[in-house]
Amino acid sequence: MGNEALREVAATDFDLARTLDSGQVFHWEKCGDGYAGAIGSEAVYVKQRRNRLHFAGTTAEVIGNYFALDHPLAEICRSFPKDPPMRAARDFCRGLRIMRQPRWECLATFITSSMKQVAHIRQISQTLRTRFGKRQRIINCEANSFPTPSRIAKLTEQDLRACALGYRAKNLLATARLVASGEADLEQWRELSDEALRAGLCDLPGVGVKVANCVMLFAYERLRAFPIDVWIERVLKQQYFPTKRKMTAGQLRSFSETYFGDHGGYAQQYLFHHARVASGRQAIAVNRRYPMFDRKKGRAIHRIA
């Protein structure tokens, strides 16, 4: 695709950049004054101008569905608990929406995310797309689709380890073969209850409760799902249980499921993005103000947050 004309769709109460940078999806790349990526197998270019999205490569219906422009975001935000950390996260994350991701792509990406930082997950995603996905260009930008489960299933563990997956290679390969064979029917699973869906996902190689909840939230639109990673665990302990010396994973799950309610997934994403970005900025500011001193070199140094 070359310089095709951009179409438009209304996108009120939406922040494209904040949504793409919030740790729920990992392959969109800045290109010019917009972003290039793929929605399923389609290469897509999208940019935001105030309350409208300008896009190429797909339809307005696909854009609206993918970015969940139909979610009643103001109503969702009003449903959040009225406590200081939640209010701060809500204000910081205005316009951030929970996207509707393709199920296999979301599952595979979060299998590769175990014990990885966002930058590393992005690198793995891009490597898999470049080597095994469908290579495409749109508006003079590269936008490769994620490899299908059947494509991954034909690879070897060594092929995947060469993409920096480490031990995750074995899990991704095994899960891809289950999905490709139809033994794990991800599309049919959309009919399952939350409990059954979580159990089915957790039976897949490389999927624990945290990854299962991520997939439930981002691929199955189960908006109560509340993934708890190290960031959220820290937020919950520091902000909601500051005087309690020990909180088990089970206690935190039980608290989050009841306290944050029907839109707990949105609350989690706002708390996560606020903690990750705001703490990073704070660390950079502190390091600049209070640098370390390198005695060997005889000068101050600044840590990189």
Side-chain angles (χ1 to χ4, degrees):
M1 296 182 183
N3 295 316
E4 62 182 272
L6 298 182
R7 287 170 283 175
E8 298 182 23
V9 64
T12 57
D13 204 5
F14 178 59
D15 189 306
L16 175 65
R18 186 168 288 150
T19 297
L20 292 179
D21 188 45
S22 64
Q24 55 180 310
V25 67
F26 305 94
H27 69 282
W28 289 85
E29 295 288 343
K30 198 79 173 68
C31 187
D33 55 355
Y35 295 85
I39 300 178
S41 62
E42 296 180 308
V44 174
Y45 177 85
V46 60
K47 64 181 180 179
Q48 185 167 16
R49 289 291 178 270
R50 298 183 180 84
N51 63 348
R52 300 192 72 79
L53 293 179
H54 302 253
F55 65 92
T58 189
T59 66
E61 289 76 16
V62 169
I63 289 288
N65 181 73
Y66 184 72
F67 290 114
L69 299 180
D70 58 320
H71 281 175
L73 196 59
E75 178 182 328
I76 289 171
C77 289
R78 285 195 296 270
S79 75
F80 292 162
K82 307 301 189 291
D83 60 61
M86 193 69 253
R87 284 199 301 269
R90 179 201 63 199
D91 294 344
F92 184 82
C93 296
R94 291 188 184 279
L96 194 165
R97 291 174 178 266
I98 299 295
M99 300 159 61
R100 295 184 179 102
Q101 297 184 43
R103 296 187 175 97
W104 158 248
E105 178 183 315
C106 182
L107 170 62
T109 300
F110 277 99
I111 286 175
T112 71
S113 75
S114 176
M115 303 300 291
K116 288 284 188 181
Q117 296 180 352
V118 169
H120 299 146
I121 304 168
R122 290 181 62 85
Q123 184 178 19
I124 290 172
S125 175
Q126 293 291 21
T127 302
L128 289 170
R129 290 168 184 273
T130 300
R131 295 187 182 182
F132 308 118
K134 181 181 177 182
R135 304 194 70 170
Q136 304 176 77
R137 293 189 66 81
I138 185 166
I139 312 295
N140 297 317
C141 307
E142 186 172 314
N144 304 318
S145 63
F146 195 83
T148 64
S150 58
R151 178 72 177 98
I152 296 289
K154 294 174 183 176
L155 301 176
T156 66
E157 184 178 333
Q158 194 57 41
D159 291 331
L160 295 174
R161 283 184 173 270
C163 298
L165 268 71
Y167 70 87
R168 304 161 196 81
K170 181 178 180 180
N171 293 328
L172 180 60
L173 182 59
T175 295
R177 289 174 175 171
L178 289 172
V179 175
S181 70
E183 185 173 344
D185 191 334
L186 300 184
E187 296 305 314
Q188 189 176 31
W189 285 5
R190 68 183 185 276
E191 306 295 336
L192 298 176
S193 67
D194 286 357
E195 293 76 13
L197 176 57
R198 185 178 292 108
L201 289 168
C202 285
D203 281 341
L204 297 174
V207 180
V209 173
K210 182 259 181 178
V211 169
N213 279 330
C214 285
V215 177
M216 290 174 65
L217 178 59
F218 303 133
Y220 287 92
E221 205 175 0
R222 306 300 175 91
L223 298 183
R224 286 189 66 96
F226 196 99
I228 298 178
D229 67 349
V230 292
W231 286 102
I232 293 300
E233 181 177 344
R234 187 179 304 140
V235 169
L236 294 178
K237 288 180 177 178
Q238 291 179 350
Q239 300 295 338
Y240 296 96
F241 301 98
T243 61
K244 195 156 186 177
R245 296 187 63 183
K246 186 175 181 180
M247 288 289 292
T248 66
Q251 288 173 320
L252 291 176
R253 283 198 299 270
S254 178
F255 166 75
S256 63
E257 288 171 0
T258 56
Y259 183 74
F260 294 101
D262 290 342
H263 298 112
Y266 260 97
Q268 182 273 349
Q269 194 64 21
Y270 281 34
L271 289 168
F272 169 82
H273 186 60
H274 179 235
R276 183 172 67 92
V277 177
S279 67
R281 291 175 179 172
Q282 183 180 36
I284 291 171
V286 168
N287 291 337
R288 286 174 177 164
R289 186 174 180 183
Y290 304 106
M292 297 176 68
F293 189 80
D294 189 326
R295 295 181 181 275
K296 291 183 178 179
K297 295 183 179 180
R299 60 179 173 83
I301 58 173
H302 295 273
R303 295 164 292 175
I304 300 175

